[in-house]
Amino acid sequence: MAAKRDVKKVVLAYSGGLDTSIILKWLQNEYGAEVVTFTADLGQGEELEPARRKAESLGIKEIYIEDLREEFCRDFVFPMFRANAQYEGLYLLGTSIARPLISKRLVEIAHETGADAIAHGATGKGNDQVRFELSAYALDPDIKVIAPWREWDFKSRTDLIDFAEKNQILVTKDKRGEAPFSVDANLLHSSSEGKVLENPAEEPPHYVFQRTVSPEEAPDKATVIEIGFEKGDPVSLDGKSLRPHELLAALNDLGRDNGIGRLDLVENRFVGMKSRGIYETPGGTVLLQAHRAIESITLDRGMAHLKDELMPRYSELIYNGFWFAPERLMLQAAIDKSQEHVEGTVRLKLYKGNVIVIGRESAKSLYSDQLVTFEDDHGAYDQKDAAGFIRLNALRLRTLAKRDGK
Amino acid sequence: MAAKRDVKKVVLAYSGGLDTSIILKWLQNEYGAEVVTFTADLGQGEELEPARRKAESLGIKEIYIEDLREEFCRDFVFPMFRANAQYEGLYLLGTSIARPLISKRLVEIAHETGADAIAHGATGKGNDQVRFELSAYALDPDIKVIAPWREWDFKSRTDLIDFAEKNQILVTKDKRGEAPFSVDANLLHSSSEGKVLENPAEEPPHYVFQRTVSPEEAPDKATVIEIGFEKGDPVSLDGKSLRPHELLAALNDLGRDNGIGRLDLVENRFVGMKSRGIYETPGGTVLLQAHRAIESITLDRGMAHLKDELMPRYSELIYNGFWFAPERLMLQAAIDKSQEHVEGTVRLKLYKGNVIVIGRESAKSLYSDQLVTFEDDHGAYDQKDAAGFIRLNALRLRTLAKRDGK
Amino acid sequence: MAAKRDVKKVVLAYSGGLDTSIILKWLQNEYGAEVVTFTADLGQGEELEPARRKAESLGIKEIYIEDLREEFCRDFVFPMFRANAQYEGLYLLGTSIARPLISKRLVEIAHETGADAIAHGATGKGNDQVRFELSAYALDPDIKVIAPWREWDFKSRTDLIDFAEKNQILVTKDKRGEAPFSVDANLLHSSSEGKVLENPAEEPPHYVFQRTVSPEEAPDKATVIEIGFEKGDPVSLDGKSLRPHELLAALNDLGRDNGIGRLDLVENRFVGMKSRGIYETPGGTVLLQAHRAIESITLDRGMAHLKDELMPRYSELIYNGFWFAPERLMLQAAIDKSQEHVEGTVRLKLYKGNVIVIGRESAKSLYSDQLVTFEDDHGAYDQKDAAGFIRLNALRLRTLAKRDGK
Amino acid sequence: MAAKRDVKKVVLAYSGGLDTSIILKWLQNEYGAEVVTFTADLGQGEELEPARRKAESLGIKEIYIEDLREEFCRDFVFPMFRANAQYEGLYLLGTSIARPLISKRLVEIAHETGADAIAHGATGKGNDQVRFELSAYALDPDIKVIAPWREWDFKSRTDLIDFAEKNQILVTKDKRGEAPFSVDANLLHSSSEGKVLENPAEEPPHYVFQRTVSPEEAPDKATVIEIGFEKGDPVSLDGKSLRPHELLAALNDLGRDNGIGRLDLVENRFVGMKSRGIYETPGGTVLLQAHRAIESITLDRGMAHLKDELMPRYSELIYNGFWFAPERLMLQAAIDKSQEHVEGTVRLKLYKGNVIVIGRESAKSLYSDQLVTFEDDHGAYDQKDAAGFIRLNALRLRTLAKRDGK
C-alpha cells in the first residue's frame, strides 16, 4: 500500500458509476491527492460523456476519455486468439485481456500528467487487482498503486452509501441496494459473477444474460458467414474488409442473434479460490472456431501440436495478469512465428448456439487430396513406406516387450 | 512384411464384410496359412452372427466372436476421458481408442490358438495400420503382422471384385461400386472419410451423418439430464447406476436425439498428411462437458492446470497408436492420481447441438462460497494478503522494468 | 500473522543456536505462549544434546529431539532423485527438500501436544519461509504459523544481542558480530549465502566451503565405486547393501574427499529476487550421475524424454515449497511409474571434482548390441525400414516446402 | 529409394576417405550418374586438398570444397547454445547440429549444378541418415536422396574392399581391416562409437579419446578465462573479440588442454535402439557453463524457467534431424526473444575436467544486492509482503486439506 503522504496525484480508472465515484472522493479525502480520471471505451457499450460530466461535477480538472476499441482488438485480443487461448479449457479470457491495456494507459497518463500513482476499483478477492497491478509495475517499476477496496474500512454497502451521501455523490435509487450480481463488459465479452450466481449447483437466472439471446430464442434458420484471415488474424467478413474492432463487433452481432457464446464456468482464480462466472463471448466464440479451421489447413502439424501444448501456459499467464511479463512475449514470438501463412477463408453456419465449420479454403493450404485419396495417387505416397515407418516406431516397444517378458 | 513361408496361422480382424472376406481368402491363397477370425462387438451397431456364418462358409474353423463393449468403455474410453483428451483441440479420438483393444485380443487369440501372425484390414495411408501394429508389437515383440492393403497388387476396386468372384466370395450389388465414403463405428463414435468428403471447402452431404440427427432436426425442447461420477468416471445417469457401456450407450441415445457431437475436421495424420474426417460422438461430447464440470469443483488448480498441459501430448500418443507405450502409462498414472476425488453429479441441458452445464454438486467440492463471496466472509480471506501477494509476484517484473529503463 | 491472543502453545523448529533461542524467548514474551521445541537430526552434522540442555535452561518442558535421517533420505531425497531434479539446470535442491519434512513433524507434534501454532526461524526474504508455511498449511489448514523474523521490530544484530542479554540468553563471543555468511546443512548438502557472497562477480573465499575439499586438494588418484539401484533408488555401495541415509552418508564421504559437488550459483527465488548461493552436494552429485547412467540402459526413450520434459516443473515445485501440493504428487506418480525397472549397477570414477561413468549393467537392460552393431545383426534390424521411416517423417516437411516454394 | 533410371547427376557428401570413394564409384556404376563431390571444412581437423585430388583421380569434374566453419558456428552452433541444449540431459549434439548444414549445401549445389539427387555415406541404423534426409526434403521437396549403405548388397568389409580393388580405388593397409570404432568430428566435437565401444559395461580404451587429454593428464594449475557475451552469443575471449569459429576453436584448445568435455553416454536413437557414444566437446562444455552463468544474472525467472521447460523438446528436435522443421523455428523465435539482454562477461576456472564459474558481470544484470541483502535494504523489499504472498499461495492447499480431512 502506498504511503499516503507520498501520493500527490493519482490517475483513476473511472467508469462514472457510483463505486468509482466513491473511490474518487475517497482518494481526494484520504490521500489529499489530486485525481485525474481515465475512462476508456473498450466496447463495453456505455456512453462515456456522462463519465466526463460526473468527473467534472466532482471537481476533476484532468479528464481522459478515450476510444481504445481498435487498439484493444488489434494488439490484445487478436494476438491472443492466434494462440487459440482458452483458460481451463473453456474460458476465452475476455476480462483478463482488457486489464493490461487499461493499466498501460493509466501508467502513460500518469507520466503525461506527472501523477505518481494510479488507482483502480477492483476488490481484494479477485484476479483483476492482480492484472492491473502486475501490468502497471511491469511498465513502471516505481509507480504507486492504490487499491481502495483493499485499504478502506467500509464494511458494507450501507457504509459506502453513507459515505457517498456525506460527500454529495448522487446515489440513484437502483444503486442503493446491492446489485444481484456484478458485471464486466468490453468488446470481447460480458462476465457476470457473485450474489445470485454463487451457488454452482443452480442454473443462472435468465436475466443474468445481457449480451446474447438464448439458443432457444435464436432464429430457426441458420446464418452462413465467411471470415477471411491474414497472418492468423481475421480481416474480412463475407468478403468485406473490416478494421479489427469493426470485425469483432460484427461477429458479436451475429453471435448474439444466434445464441452463441454463453459459458457457465467454475474456474480457479490466481488468488487461490474457485469462483463461478457466467461469460458471454459471442463474436469470440465464432472467431475461435474459425481460427482453428483456417489453421487446420494451413498450419503444419509440428507447429500445430507445439501450439496446443503451449496454449494452457499462455492462457494461464494472461489469466494471472502476466501479459507484460517476458515469458508471455517469448510465447507470443513462437506463436506469431507460426501464423505467417495462416490465411484464407472459413465458412461457418451459426445456428442456435452452434458454430459449425462448413468450409475452409486457402492459397496456402497444406491439404493435399492427392496424398490422402483412396484413389490412385499417381505415386505421391508409397504405401510400402508405412511398413518401415511402423517397424522403426515399434522397435523400442518391441525391445521393451522382450525385456518385460511379454 | 512377414516372410510368407514363415506364417502358418494368422488371426484376422474380421468384420464379415466384403473387404475382410477378400483379405481372408487372400491370406489363404497367398500365405497358404490357416486363418482364425476375430470379430468384436465394440458397439458398432452391427449384428455379429452373419460374420460367423460368412467365416464358416469360407472354411474357417476357429471363429472368435466377442462382446467387448464393457471392457472397451471401462479400460479404454473412460481412462481416456479422465484426461479430457481432444486431439488437435477438437477430436475425441473415437477410432484411435478402439484399435489397441482389437490388437490386444488379436495377440491374445494368436497365443491361444498357436497362431504366429495377425492381420488387419487397414490401408497403408492411414493411422489405423500404425495403431494396430504398434499395439501388437508392444504386446508381443515377435508377432508377425500382415497388412494386406500394403502388400497385395490389386490396383482398383475392379481388381478386388474380380478376385472375390474368382474365389466364390459373394459380392452384393451395392458393394460392386465403391462406397461414396468410408465409415468406422464403435460405441464411442462413427467416423466418415474419403471420396465425397475429400474437399475440405465443401460441406459434407447430409447422408454422411448416420449416427445423429442434425441440430435443426432435434427437438425444440431441451432435455435435462444428470450424470453421477466416481473417481473421474461416469457411474450413473439420472440417479440410476449403469455399467460403463450401458451408460455410454444411454448418453449416445440422448446425444443423437439432440443433434449433439458432430465434428467436421481437417486433422494431421501420424503418417504425415492432412485428412478430412466427419465425426459423430454424441455421448462422448456430453461426457466431456460433464467431466470438465465435475472436475471444475473437485479438482485443485495445480492438478487441473497440469492436466491441461499434459493433455495434448496424451491425446497425440493415443492418436498415433502409442496406447501401450510406457510414456502413456506414465501420463495415465499422473492423470489417475488426479481423479481420486472427482466425484459428484452434473446436471446438463441438451438442446439442438448444445451441451449446457446447469449445475454441479459434490461432497468433495473445493468451491467455497464463503471464500469467494462479495459479502462478509467472516475472516476466511484477508484482502490485505493480496497486496503482498501482488507485490512479490511483481518484484521480478519491476526489477526488469528498471533494468530496461521503463 | 496469527493474532497473538489466539496462540496458547507453539511448536518451534529449534536448533539450539542463538537465533532460535532468541525466537524462543520472544515467543514466550510476545505471545505469552508455551513453547515446545523440536530439533531434528537431518544429517547436518551437529550434536543435538546441547539443544536439549539449552531448551531446558530456557524453561521448556516439552522437548522433541529426533533422528530423521532415514526418513529424510527414503521419503524425500530419493523420490526427488528419481526425477533427476535440478533447479535452473544445476541446483540439487538440498535445502528445499528438507523443509517439508521439518514442517510435517512440526505439525504432527502440534497435534500431539495440543499446540495451535508452529514457528520457524526463516527470514522474510527467502524461500524457506514459503516452504515451511506451504507445507504446514497443506497438512493442517487451520494451523497458525509464526514467522518471528517477519514480525518483530528488531532492526539490527545489535538489537537481537540486546534482547538476548536482557533475557539471560548466553551470547558467546563469536556470535556477537554477524556471521560473514549464512549456512544451512543437512545430509544432502550445505548451502552458504549472504554477506561476503553477495557480489556474484567475486569468487567465494576458500573458507566458505566446509563440506568438501577443493578439486585441487583432492587425491591425485581416482577412486572407483559401484552403486547398485532398485526401482530407481540406490541400495548398495561396492556390493554392500546400505540403508538410505547410510548410503548417502557414504557417498558424501567419497564426494567430499574427491572435491565433488561444489556449485556457485545465481538463482531465482520464488519471492522474486535473484540470490547467490554456494552449494556443496558431494554425495548427491555422484548420485545424480549414477542414476542417469542406470536409467540410460533401463529406461525406454518415451519415458526418459517425458521425464526430462517434466523435470524442470517438478524441480520448480520443490524449490517453491509445493512438495505437498497435489500436482507434485501427480508428477511423482508418473515418475515412480517410470522407475519400476530401473535397477542394476553403475561404476564410477571419482577424481578431483569429476564424476565419470565407466560402466553400467542391468538384468533389465534395454541396450541391445545385436540391434546397434555395425556387424551382421542376423536380421534384428532391417536397414530398408529406415527409408520408409524417413520418407513418412519427411512427408509434412516436403508438403510445407512445396507450399512455400522451396 | 530413388529409381535408378531417374538419376542423372548426384551431389555426394565426400570426405575423400575410402568409404565415400567406394560410394562415389558405386554411384557411377549402379546409377550411371555423373557425380559432383562436396567436401566441407566444418573444423574436423583434416586437410581438404587430398579429397580434391582423390575426386579428380576418380574422374570427377565438379568438385566443391568449402570452408563452412564460420557459418557452422554462427548459424547453427551458437543458436543452439542459446537454448542450453542437451539431449537426454547430457549430450551437446555435436554431430546432430552439423548434418543440416551439410544437407543445405548439398541441396544448394544440386540446384547450382543441375543435379537431381544427393547422396550421403550414413548407414541405415543411425541417426545421421535421418538428419541428412529430413533436412534435404525440407529444403527441396523433390530432391532425390541416395543412401548407398541402405541400398547396396555388400555384406561385409571384405565385400567393400573387393569392390574397391576391382574399381581401382586405392586401399591403404590400415583401411583393409575394420576400424576398431567409428569417428565423426567437427569444430564442436568428436564422437566415437561402435565395435570396441559396444559394451556399455566396459570403460572405453584410452586410445578412443583423440580430442582431449584426460583430467589426470591435464595441468596441475588452473587456467582462468573470461568470455564476453552479446545477445546470448559468445563474442570475446579474455577481452579479445573473435569471430564465432575462432572463438570456439580457442575454447576447444583450452578445454582440450584441461581435460574438459568428455562424455560416455548410452543414448536413445531416433530409429529406435539404444547406442553408446563417446563424445569430446571441449569448447562446447565450457561454453554451456558460461552461457548459463551469464543468463543467471541477466535473464528473468519467467523466461529462464520457460526455456528450461522447452529445452528437452528443442534438443530432441535437433537430435532427430528436425532442424529445418517449422516447430524448431517456433522454439528458436521464443529462445532468441529471451536473449536480447543476455550480455556481459563470465570468468571461469578450467582445471582437470572442471569448469568452475568464478564470476559474472553485466550492465544488464537483474541481480540486486540491495534486494537480497541480509542487511538494511532501505525499503527495497517489505518482508511483510511475504506473509500475504504465502497466505494466498497456500489458500488452495488449505482448501484441499480441509476437504480431505487433514
Side-chain angles (χ1 to χ4, degrees), chain A residues 203-268:
Chain A
E203 191 173 0
H206 291 116
Y207 58 79
V208 168
F209 296 96
Q210 301 175 320
R211 186 80 171 254
T212 54
V213 306
S214 71
E216 285 90 341
E217 295 162 319
D220 289 328
K221 201 172 162 315
T223 305
V224 172
I225 64 169
E226 187 176 275
I227 303 179
F229 285 88
E230 282 175 17
K231 300 200 177 203
D233 292 339
V235 295
S236 68
L237 182 63
D238 293 331
K240 189 180 163 196
S241 290
L242 292 173
R243 289 156 73 195
H245 59 299
E246 295 168 345
L247 200 151
L248 184 52
L251 290 182
N252 278 336
D253 291 345
L254 288 161
R256 178 198 59 217
D257 292 346
N258 288 289
I260 288 165
R262 293 181 171 194
L263 175 65
D264 174 351
L265 184 70
V266 177
E267 76 201 42
N268 293 289

Side-chain angles (χ1 to χ4, degrees), chain A residues 298 300 313 364 396 403, chain C residues 300 313 364 396 403:
Chain A
T298 58
D300 165 75
R313 176 74 63 91
K364 294 293 177 71
R396 65 179 178 96
R403 198 262 318 259
Chain C
D300 165 75
R313 176 74 64 92
K364 294 292 178 71
R396 65 180 177 95
R403 196 251 335 245

Side-chain angles (χ1 to χ4, degrees), chain C residues 284-322:
Chain C
T285 301
V286 176
L287 184 53
L288 175 70
Q289 295 309 321
H291 184 257
R292 276 207 173 270
I294 193 65
E295 284 193 335
S296 77
I297 57 166
T298 59
L299 203 60
D300 165 75
R301 183 185 71 199
M303 282 184 152
H305 289 201
L306 181 56
K307 279 191 72 203
D308 280 348
E309 292 194 54
L310 299 176
M311 185 275 277
R313 176 74 64 92
Y314 177 88
S315 303
E316 185 186 64
L317 285 170
I318 294 176
Y319 185 87
N320 288 354
F322 290 92

Side-chain angles (χ1 to χ4, degrees), chain A residues 302-316:
Chain A
M303 282 185 152
H305 289 200
L306 181 56
K307 281 190 71 203
D308 280 348
E309 291 195 52
L310 298 177
M311 185 274 276
R313 176 74 63 91
Y314 177 87
S315 302
E316 185 186 64

